[in-house]
Amino acid sequence: MPTIYEIILPMIGKTVEYAPVGTNLGLYYLLCALIHGHFLESRGGIFPALSRLGLPDAVVRRSWAALQQGGWQMGTLIVGWRKQVESAGRWQPVRIDDYRIKAGDMSAVFRPRLQAREGKHYNPIAERALPAVECGLCVDVGKVDNQIVPLPALLLHPHLSTAADAPSSTAQLKQQLIAAI
């Protein structure tokens, strides 16, 4: 029986193949580092996470450049990933009567030194709102065998989107996330 990596890594390759050449390989390495848990080990650090894959320094820098400057969009990656997962045939949506289950949440990456494009997010440990980059995620809830597996449907970010209907504040971000669910 193939390992989970042998199943997922080719799917990631097909997901990023529509990005421009060079960017697609960099995104592939970034997603591989994510799947292997290297971003958790490096506390979100891109260079250490990619280095843990055993990549040469030049490839690590190119992957970082693909993330920062590459010609890709999150929505396109989400659609591509959904197509790969759904076409594999193992993921099945969880239903109650005729309703598909969706879930949504807001989260933030706390960045105290971030100056531009920052928001604030409440931190219960500090008992106050701290500078952070906020985002909202909406997923379809499904199962692979008996394991619950969320399938991303929408990622909202108030500052990085160029769409006309992009949320410009935390309140609008919350409204759009609730509307998507």
Side-chain angles (χ1 to χ4, degrees):
M1 177 173 237
T3 67
I4 192 70
Y5 296 120
E6 292 170 336
I7 295 169
I8 290 178
L9 295 181
M11 293 170 66
I12 291 173
K14 290 181 180 177
T15 299
V16 299
E17 72 183 5
Y18 298 105
V21 174
T23 298
N24 58 1
L25 186 58
L27 291 175
Y28 177 79
Y29 289 139
L30 286 160
L31 292 171
C32 286
L34 181 70
I35 293 296
H36 283 88
H38 296 314
F39 280 99
L40 289 173
E41 296 166 0
S42 69
R43 298 182 58 201
I46 295 170
F47 283 83
L50 290 168
S51 295
R52 286 193 171 118
L53 284 175
L55 301 172
D57 289 344
V59 175
V60 169
R61 285 191 298 276
R62 283 195 299 271
S63 296
W64 174 77
L67 176 65
Q68 183 185 30
Q69 302 166 352
W72 62 279
Q73 293 187 350
M74 183 60 71
T76 305
L77 287 178
I78 289 174
V79 169
W81 179 246
R82 290 181 66 85
K83 285 180 184 176
Q84 292 302 313
V85 170
E86 290 170 349
S87 69
R90 294 183 64 195
W91 184 88
Q92 298 298 318
V94 173
R95 296 182 184 273
I96 297 178
D97 294 328
D98 290 333
Y99 298 98
R100 287 178 68 161
I101 306 302
K102 289 185 173 247
D105 197 7
M106 285 187 60
S107 187
V109 178
F110 293 100
R111 294 290 188 230
R113 295 186 187 129
L114 186 66
Q115 298 298 318
R117 297 185 176 190
E118 72 179 28
K120 290 195 177 248
H121 194 78
Y122 181 76
N123 183 319
I125 295 170
E127 296 182 351
R128 62 187 177 105
L130 298 173
V133 177
E134 292 185 303
C135 64
L137 177 66
C138 178
V139 298
D140 289 317
V141 179
K143 284 187 174 186
V144 174
D145 300 327
N146 288 324
Q147 179 70 42
I148 297 288
V149 177
L151 186 58
L154 178 66
L155 181 69
L156 295 171
H157 187 287
H159 301 294
L160 298 180
S161 180
T162 57
D165 63 342
S168 61
S169 68
T170 300
Q172 286 181 345
L173 179 73
K174 287 178 186 177
Q175 288 174 349
Q176 285 189 7
L177 188 59
I178 289 169
I181 296 173

